[in-house]
Amino acid sequence: MAEILTIAGREVKKLEVVVSDFGSYVGKTSERLVVKRQGKVVLQVPFHDLERVVIEGRGISISTDAVYKCMEAGIHIDFLTLSGEPIAKLSSPALGGTVLTRREQLLAMHDERGLHIARTIVEAKLRNQLNTMKYFAKSRKTAASEFYTLVREYSGLVDQLRSELAALEASNIDSVRTTMMNIEARGSRRYWELLAKLLEGRVNFPGREHRGATDETNMLLNYGYGVLYSRVWGAVLRAGLEPFAGYLHTDRPGKPSLVLDLTEEFRQPVVDRVVLAALIRGFTVKRDESGFLHPDTRRELVRRIGERLESRSLYDGRRFKLGTIIQRQARRLAAYLRGEAAYRPFICGW
């Protein structure tokens, strides 16, 4: 069935519609988006109240009238697989922003700006991974003193890796990308080891696996990252940036490198925190007959991520919703490329 999540903006509440049932139809009636199942209307939403449409899985159809209206209203349409992998995004070309932003984005690949952006993203990921472990360790100082001690040791490793990162010297990102990715990998390796320790005795976590994962933890993480990824893609487009021209991730046909870059700053605060908290509290993961996450489990995960995006974090001395921070960070990146502002990472609290 269709699932609606309330995504509150700063001034006007917007809705996100997720359609996941095989055989569903998404269309337009007057000024409303309509979702039908077996010929019966199950949902109607005025377009002016709509922020995003997510179509999940196969066997779902959408009318051109609905597509046209969404594009006119600046509403993105995202297509995901049942495992949460983004397949496509429809958005209006009018959301492309200024030409200057994209010109500077491409030029930055060959100067110190690209290096600064990549370094900043890696530092953000290292610190957010550490802060996520600190968040779960602070309530275990007495109950699980071994884990608390391991996190303190991990903090020392992150300090070392940040020093190595700061010491990198180059005129552009290409000459040090391999070294930078090695630094990131060393930090991530220890993070996933600690995550496994945190979940020990609760669920099986064999280590980080991407496509084709069969354990519940990785399946939840991968699905959650797909939801986050499509949200970041929308923020990148609204900021007038080119999704396929990144800095930390290399260019490849069909690979939205900049989306992947910016997603790195938000994996832990948006997805990992939600998945870990759910599993620690005994969240039941259901699967369908094909072994994928059951629609009920996917909907519940999307709901929890939606709530997390509604929660507030400190950003520029004020508290903003995480969903708003993602958009602000994309705009900050665009402003940095145009020479209008500094680019600083988003670091989550603990």
Side-chain angles (χ1 to χ4, degrees), residues 309-320:
L309 289 167
E310 284 287 280
S311 66
R312 294 179 180 270
S313 291
L314 192 63
Y315 184 84
D316 283 349
R318 296 171 56 192
R319 298 192 73 81
F320 292 95

Side-chain angles (χ1 to χ4, degrees), residues 248-260:
L248 180 64
H249 290 86
T250 55
D251 293 339
R252 195 175 67 199
K255 178 181 177 181
S257 302
L258 188 69
V259 177
L260 294 172

Side-chain angles (χ1 to χ4, degrees), residues 122-140 147-148 150-159 162 187-188 190-192 194-195 198 264-270 272-274 276 280 308 313-314 322 345-350:
V122 172
E123 180 183 8
K125 183 171 185 178
L126 291 170
R127 293 177 64 184
N128 285 336
Q129 286 176 330
L130 173 61
N131 285 354
T132 298
M133 289 297 103
K134 284 182 176 179
Y135 172 80
F136 288 102
K138 66 183 179 182
S139 61
R140 291 166 173 76
F147 181 76
Y148 182 83
L150 291 173
V151 172
R152 290 188 62 182
E153 294 173 355
Y154 174 45
S155 180
L157 171 63
V158 170
D159 286 342
R162 289 177 63 193
S188 291
R190 187 55 181 150
Y191 171 76
W192 294 118
L194 283 174
L195 189 146
L198 180 65
E264 297 295 350
E265 292 192 25
F266 295 96
R267 289 182 188 272
Q268 283 70 48
V270 174
D272 292 16
R273 279 270 297 266
V274 169
L276 288 171
I280 288 170
R308 179 61 180 154
S313 291
L314 192 63
L322 267 171
F346 168 67
I347 307 299
C348 64
W350 58 276

Side-chain angles (χ1 to χ4, degrees), residues 42 113 207 217 314 340:
V42 294
R113 289 175 297 174
T217 305
L314 192 63
E340 300 169 1

